[in-house]
């Protein structure tokens, strides 16, 4: 499927639902055979969350760059470095153009 331009959707606000909304879009994209990637900036790959497990099983390229919530951190400098590394990797992934959908999640 060829695209002439991209679209950006931003989910904001307090409380729950932002990631769930994005993962709903992920499922719809997979249903039409889009290549999908998820980049998470806070959640750790050690967490074993259900959306990651199912996303990987469905062929989603899943990248987790974080070590957990910053309010639990003993070293914010370390967290900032992880965020910068994650953002650089996400920019490279987006620029490569290999996915029709890239989700950037907290």
């Amino acid at each position: 499927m060829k695209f002439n331009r991209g679209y950006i959707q931003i989910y904001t606000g307090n409380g729950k639902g932002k990631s769930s909304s994005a993962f709903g879009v992920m499922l719809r994209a997979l249903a039409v055979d889009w290549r999908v990637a998820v980049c998470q900036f806070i959640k750790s790959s050690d967490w074993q969350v259900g959306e990651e497990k199912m996303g990987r099983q469905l062929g989603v390229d899943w990248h987790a760059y974080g070590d957990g919530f910053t309010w639990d951190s003993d070293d914010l400098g370390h967290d900032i470095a992880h965020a910068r590394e994650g953002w650089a990797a996400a920019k490279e992934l987006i620029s490569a153009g290999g996915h029709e959908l890239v989700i950037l999640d907290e």
Side-chain angles (χ1 to χ4, degrees):
M1 192 176 292
K2 184 176 179 180
F3 297 94
N4 293 326
R5 60 183 172 174
Y7 294 93
I8 297 173
Q9 293 183 346
I10 300 173
Y11 302 108
T12 66
N14 296 327
K16 306 264 182 200
K18 297 173 291 292
S19 294
S20 296
S21 295
F23 297 140
V25 174
M26 174 188 81
L27 291 173
R28 290 176 186 93
L30 291 168
V32 294
D33 296 322
W34 283 12
R35 293 162 297 187
V36 177
V38 172
C39 300
Q40 292 184 307
F41 297 94
I42 293 176
K43 293 176 182 167
S44 168
S45 60
D46 296 334
W47 286 11
Q48 307 293 310
V49 294
E51 58 266 21
E52 179 179 356
K53 179 181 178 182
M54 294 310 300
R56 287 185 184 278
Q57 287 180 14
L58 294 170
V60 174
D61 295 326
W62 205 282
H63 309 274
Y65 304 111
D67 283 333
F69 294 112
T70 54
W71 55 82
D72 291 333
S73 178
D74 294 327
D75 185 355
L76 286 179
H78 178 76
D79 296 332
I80 291 167
H82 266 282
R84 286 188 175 135
E85 290 170 14
W87 178 238
K91 286 193 312 188
E92 189 173 315
L93 183 84
I94 293 166
S95 296
H99 299 85
E100 283 81 21
L101 175 65
V102 177
I103 295 172
L104 306 177
D105 182 43
E106 59 185 19

